[in-house]
Amino acid sequence: MEALAEGLWELADFHEQNGEIGKAVKCLETICQSQVSFLPIVEIKSRLRIATLLLKYTHNVNHAKSHLERSQLLLKSIPSCFELKCRAYSLLSQCYHLIGAIPPQKQIINKGLELACASGDGFAVKLWCCNFTSQLANALAIEGDYWGSIAALERGFSCAAEMYYPELQMFFATSIFHVHLMQWEDVNSVGNAAVKCNEIWEFLQPDKRRQCMGLFFYNELLNTFYQLRICDYKTAALHVDKLDEAMRKEMQQVQQIKNLTAELNTINDSLSQSDPHNRERLGLYEKQTQLQEQLRQATFSAGMESMGSLYLGNARQMWDKLELAPPPIDGEWLPRSAVYALVDLMVVISGRPKGLFKECGKRIQSGLQLIKEELLKLGITDGVREVNLQHSAIWMAGVYLMLLMQFLENKVAVDLTRSEFVEAQEALLQMKNWFIRFPTILQGCESIIEMLRGQYAHSLGCFSEAAFHFLEAAKLTESKSMQAMCHVYAAVSHICIGDAESSSQALDLIGPVHAIMDSFVGVREKTSVLFAYGLLLMKQHNLQEARIRLASGLRITHQLLGNIQLVSQYLTLLGSLALALHDTTQAREILKSSLTLAKTLYDIPTQIWVVSVLTALHQELGEKGNEMENTEFARKRGNDLQKRLADVRSSIHHMELIEKVKIEVHQLHDTDIRRANAGPSLGVNLDIPESIGLPVANSTPISRLVNMDTGRLGKRKS
């Protein structure tokens, strides 16, 4: 009977390698359902194998859970079998995780930890301790017990240190770093966690680093999120460059491995079908040996060898995963495709404030294409809604949907900056429609969508509607930063309305933010409120005080944010102030710099605004030639802008986006909300900047206040 079981196991392996998962499961179920009794250990191994296949390739979590529970019953009668018992606990923990049942998951994990603790201190035992500790930390983080999660991860780190296993220490260190990012109670604690990760990474030997690309991407992305949060854009850009270079190299290596594997499979098929006496058979064997060696070298070069491509019969293609830790630890953070999309997103966020819109556009399109392909693999087509998703598909769908919304958010930002209003409208409509279809998974995006509706309305001169949406966005978020930014946006809208009551409302909104502007992490809130406050002081004809505020804001923006659109608009206001104070020499220099930046950004409203101030300067100095040249420039740009505005206003969707009505959706019940938020992937309010322009009312057409950065990414474990 054992020989029969071995044969069925091998046949199941064969079917799995060919992608025939149903046949593989049937082979294994034959053992479990046989009228002839197999040894309990054979049935246990078969059921664990079935559960692994179901969890890896299907959404049939309940079926997998049934096999695992049956395996546990059988294992109770067997005194030994430590490895099999740990596997059963670990896989059952994954089942509970996928259905969002956190309390029973923690019970199973604790049983696994008790078993491991009672089984000595061998290397394999410690690996299982690390596995269960990681799963426990994840469960605690999902429940919001961040300190409990960190404590568990620190125990895992100590265990890895006892094993003299620096790669595993790096796994726990980066996980601790991630939880600190999620919690963000103390900027020093987050910074210390980042430093510790970088120190451990530098301690690893170069060949070990090459074999730990999953950890490389994980650590570099977390560092990027951290640097963006504290507004250290120069350091963030260095991390983004490293990520982008590594991604390009990885993609080339993975493609080489795929090509070699496909060629080897073709050779294997030919050998299995060809006549044994065929003269070409010897040549095929030689080619097979050559390809196997090339594939071995390619996988070693790509760092895919040490992590092990198979675990408990898992034949998932190793190039789909970026492992963080060795088996039995289920250490993947995100699928490779999601990591690549996230790197593209970081390139966009890093490049957009610098005005690198061409490269940003390429990355946005490539990211959107990749994400939509992955959504199709999950069965998310045009007609699919949240209620149609399997529970086990919710977390992965959430990963890609949140990334999708981030790319669309950035597209709206770029398009509004470039006065591509029709394209911005289309991207914003896509965001709205995705949110309506998946309101629970994307509930964190509701305030962002409202904020973008305000940006869109403001860009088109609909200031009252813009203020409404900004204030609604502030109500929909618990983020103090987002609330402050939305209040500043709304204040600028009120300033643009121009009457006394609106100016009073603007002051009411600006005052509280100005009072606490130094309490925020980073300087985005400070630079934005100084801009708005300076603008309001100008409207109130308090020019000297306005100049002080704006000069301070410009200095901080230039030194720390590096956002050239916001710099351009600060310069335009300061140029206007210099002209009002009859300092024509300084006004000319400032306004020329502002115009150069606005042209770089294709920012038509700001260009018109700057030229209008320059025209007033030339009039004051009697420079008729320059005045006429500027008038003609403003006329051409103004005609272009009016055409763009007319095109977008003629759309049937224009009123839908600006009307003073919230988006109506029907969310799932609380359990499903917890499941949607419990995905093991993007798990932290990363405060990634969304950089959008706000028109500022003037005697001539509008300019934009930009890069009042907010932005978020979803949920994730340790």
Side-chain angles (χ1 to χ4, degrees), residues 41-301:
I41 197 73
V42 172
E43 183 179 346
I44 290 167
K45 289 181 178 180
S46 299
R47 289 186 182 277
L48 291 177
R49 183 84 173 85
I50 292 170
T52 302
L53 289 170
L54 293 173
L55 290 175
K56 193 60 63 176
Y57 296 105
T58 77
H59 297 301
N60 202 338
V61 179
N62 289 328
H63 193 185
K65 182 167 164 286
S66 297
H67 281 288
L68 292 169
E69 288 170 343
R70 175 62 180 165
S71 296
Q72 279 198 310
L73 288 175
L74 293 171
L75 283 165
K76 284 182 178 179
S77 62
I78 304 176
S80 55
C81 295
F82 168 78
E83 185 80 12
L84 293 179
K85 289 178 180 179
C86 285
R87 289 179 181 177
Y89 283 135
S90 184
L91 290 169
L92 196 52
S93 167
Q94 291 179 39
C95 287
Y96 285 126
H97 173 77
L98 287 170
I99 62 176
I102 304 304
Q105 182 193 10
K106 290 197 297 183
Q107 291 177 359
I108 288 294
I109 293 170
N110 285 323
K111 288 181 180 179
L113 283 169
E114 290 172 7
L115 174 64
C117 290
S119 301
D121 57 357
F123 191 85
V125 173
K126 287 183 179 294
L127 273 178
W128 278 110
C129 282
C130 289
N131 173 68
F132 291 123
T133 299
S134 174
Q135 290 183 335
L136 179 61
N138 184 31
L140 291 169
I142 289 170
E143 289 185 324
D145 183 1
Y146 297 123
W147 286 118
S149 179
I150 290 172
L153 291 168
E154 287 176 342
R155 291 195 297 272
F157 182 88
S158 298
C159 186
E162 292 172 5
M163 298 165 68
Y164 302 101
Y165 205 151
E167 301 98 298
L168 198 52
Q169 288 178 268
M170 183 66 185
F171 165 70
F172 283 108
T174 49
S175 298
I176 291 169
F177 183 16
H178 199 156
V179 179
H180 274 299
L181 275 172
M182 295 168 69
Q183 184 185 31
W184 200 281
E185 282 194 353
D186 177 10
V187 66
N188 292 325
S189 297
V190 184
N192 291 336
V195 169
K196 186 173 184 178
C197 287
N198 295 331
E199 288 175 349
I200 297 172
W201 181 254
E202 291 300 320
F203 177 77
L204 295 178
Q205 295 298 317
D207 61 326
K208 291 292 185 182
R209 292 184 210 164
R210 178 175 50 77
Q211 295 169 6
C212 299
M213 290 309 296
L215 284 172
F216 168 81
F217 280 106
Y218 191 23
N219 184 46
E220 288 298 320
L221 282 166
L222 292 179
N223 268 284
T224 304
F225 302 156
Y226 168 64
Q227 299 298 339
L228 288 172
R229 182 75 180 269
I230 64 174
C231 295
D232 187 348
Y233 289 93
K234 291 181 180 178
T235 304
L238 296 176
H239 288 289
V240 172
D241 289 343
K242 290 169 65 176
L243 284 165
D244 197 33
E245 181 182 355
M247 181 181 72
R248 291 177 187 276
K249 185 177 179 181
E250 277 273 306
M251 292 174 72
Q252 293 172 355
Q253 292 174 329
V254 169
Q255 189 58 51
Q256 181 188 14
I257 292 170
K258 287 184 177 182
N259 293 340
L260 288 171
T261 303
E263 192 174 353
L264 183 59
N265 288 339
T266 301
I267 296 294
N268 291 338
D269 289 342
S270 298
L271 284 170
S272 65
Q273 297 171 9
S274 63
D275 187 332
H277 304 293
N278 193 322
R279 294 179 181 178
E280 296 180 359
R281 192 170 183 81
L282 182 59
L284 289 173
Y285 275 123
E286 291 177 353
K287 183 66 173 175
Q288 182 190 52
T289 302
Q290 180 185 6
L291 287 170
Q292 286 172 341
E293 176 60 21
Q294 289 176 354
L295 185 59
R296 187 194 68 78
Q297 292 179 359
T299 53
F300 182 81
S301 175

Side-chain angles (χ1 to χ4, degrees), residues 625-636:
N626 289 334
E627 180 185 344
M628 292 176 64
E629 182 181 342
N630 286 343
T631 301
E632 179 62 17
F633 178 91
R635 185 188 65 79
K636 290 180 179 179

Side-chain angles (χ1 to χ4, degrees), residues 2 55 86 310 326 343 556 570 638 643 700 715:
E2 288 186 17
L55 290 175
C86 285
L310 298 178
V343 172
I556 297 170
Y570 261 116
K643 183 181 183 304
T700 56
K715 287 238 178 232

